[in-house]
Amino acid sequence: MSRPEVVVHRDGELLAAATAARLVTSLVDAQAARGSASLVLTGGRTGIAVLEHLRATPARDAVDWSRVDLYWGDERFLPSGHPERNETQAREALLDHVPVPAGRVHVMEPSDGRFGDDPEAAAAAYADVLAAAGPDGSVPSFDVCLLGVGEEGHVASIFPGSPAVRERERPVVAVRDCPKPPPTRVSLTLPAIRAAREVWLITTGAAKAAAVATGLTDEDEVRLPAAGARGLRRTLWLLDTAAAAEVPATP
Ligand SMILES: O=C1O[C@H](COP(=O)(O)O)[C@@H](O)[C@H](O)[C@H]1O
């Protein structure tokens, strides 16, 4: 598992623009190396801002969108098209504007979907989606897994002290009684996130500074889930100055 690296940008706008540029390069490189690229999307303000910048940059056309598989790290378990669904926001920010085939957009089921109001069934179905895509029924080695970071150190919908953060077997779980609304969600687990080649934790603002500083240590992931989000090859914390304020200076 990789050790965390930190990149700090002046402010949130620049962070989102620079991360979008970094994504273009990573997706193009993955396609050159392996034929297609796989990307796990995140919700949250910064994650969606990255997609908006990706939409706006002419360099987005360097990516062959017909060979990109898109997944989600978590989803708010709400009806299809609900404005608070991470899927809805990602579609508006980017996916409706690039020629990615519908069959490569791997959404987590909504609460009015195939399984009705059953997030456990939606989570199990998403585990099947991952198993069908990965080697020998295991989770795919995503090229990049994007994650936002909550003030209390949550990533995806894995909250401190929750059953989700203790999950060791299943790659996807239903999350109930979330401290952040909406209360019901579907989320990848830390073992699934750790299957990614690269994990990028992206966050901004002073309110995240303490979680960022602790997340960079070997803190117990049950107390601070972000500390357990590491990529096989690379773990990158992409921050603005305010979020990086409590990170110890490095040479
Ligand atoms: O609810 C969620 O929040 C987190 C963090 O969001 P932010 O707005 O504080 O950046 C996000 O990572 C997660 O995907 C989302 O469902």
Side-chain angles (χ1 to χ4, degrees):
M1 208 58 54
S2 57
R3 301 292 304 168
E5 300 167 53
V6 178
V7 176
V8 183
H9 294 287
R10 184 185 63 222
D11 55 43
E13 272 303 294
L14 189 56
L15 168 66
T19 304
R22 189 184 283 278
L23 261 182
V24 168
T25 304
S26 292
L27 296 175
V28 169
D29 285 355
Q31 289 178 334
R34 288 178 287 284
S36 65
S38 55
L39 172 63
V40 179
L41 300 174
T42 177
R45 284 159 299 170
T46 314
I48 297 301
V50 169
L51 300 188
E52 286 166 349
H53 277 274
L54 193 47
R55 169 186 170 183
T57 177
R60 78 175 200 207
D61 291 341
V63 176
D64 179 350
W65 291 99
S66 73
R67 294 186 290 127
V68 178
D69 283 287
L70 296 167
Y71 300 89
W72 271 265
D74 73 318
E75 187 54 272
R76 297 147 181 194
F77 197 59
L78 295 166
S80 182
H82 192 290
E84 290 299 316
R85 263 181 72 82
N86 291 335
E87 175 202 350
T88 308
Q89 296 179 11
R91 287 192 186 281
E92 285 172 3
L94 177 70
L95 309 188
D96 289 345
H97 310 277
V98 291
V100 60
R104 285 186 181 263
V105 180
H106 307 286
V107 298
M108 292 173 167
E109 284 288 324
S111 63
D112 59 351
R114 281 187 295 155
F115 307 105
D117 199 17
D118 182 349
E120 281 78 17
Y126 208 66
D128 290 343
V129 168
L130 298 184
D136 302 323
S138 56
V139 173
S141 296
F142 309 114
D143 290 301
V144 178
C145 175
L146 300 176
L147 295 172
V149 181
E151 291 174 24
E152 74 302 73
H154 83 262
V155 288
S157 286
I158 309 170
F159 286 80
S162 65
V165 76
R166 294 190 168 87
E167 179 64 44
R168 290 289 166 271
E169 302 298 326
R170 292 174 295 169
V172 191
V173 291
V175 178
R176 293 179 182 271
D177 304 320
C178 245
K180 177 179 177 181
T184 309
R185 292 153 175 256
V186 174
S187 183
L188 298 193
T189 59
L190 287 173
I193 289 168
R194 288 193 282 256
R197 287 184 171 81
E198 300 202 8
V199 170
W200 300 0
L201 300 109
I202 315 163
T203 199
T204 58
K208 308 290 178 75
V212 168
T214 310
L216 285 162
T217 68
D218 289 328
E219 173 65 288
D220 180 357
E221 65 197 26
V222 173
R223 280 203 288 267
L224 196 108
R230 304 256 174 119
L232 289 173
R233 303 210 177 138
R234 195 168 199 200
T235 305
L236 207 47
W237 285 73
L238 299 166
L239 308 170
D240 72 348
T241 312
E246 295 179 32
V247 175
T250 47

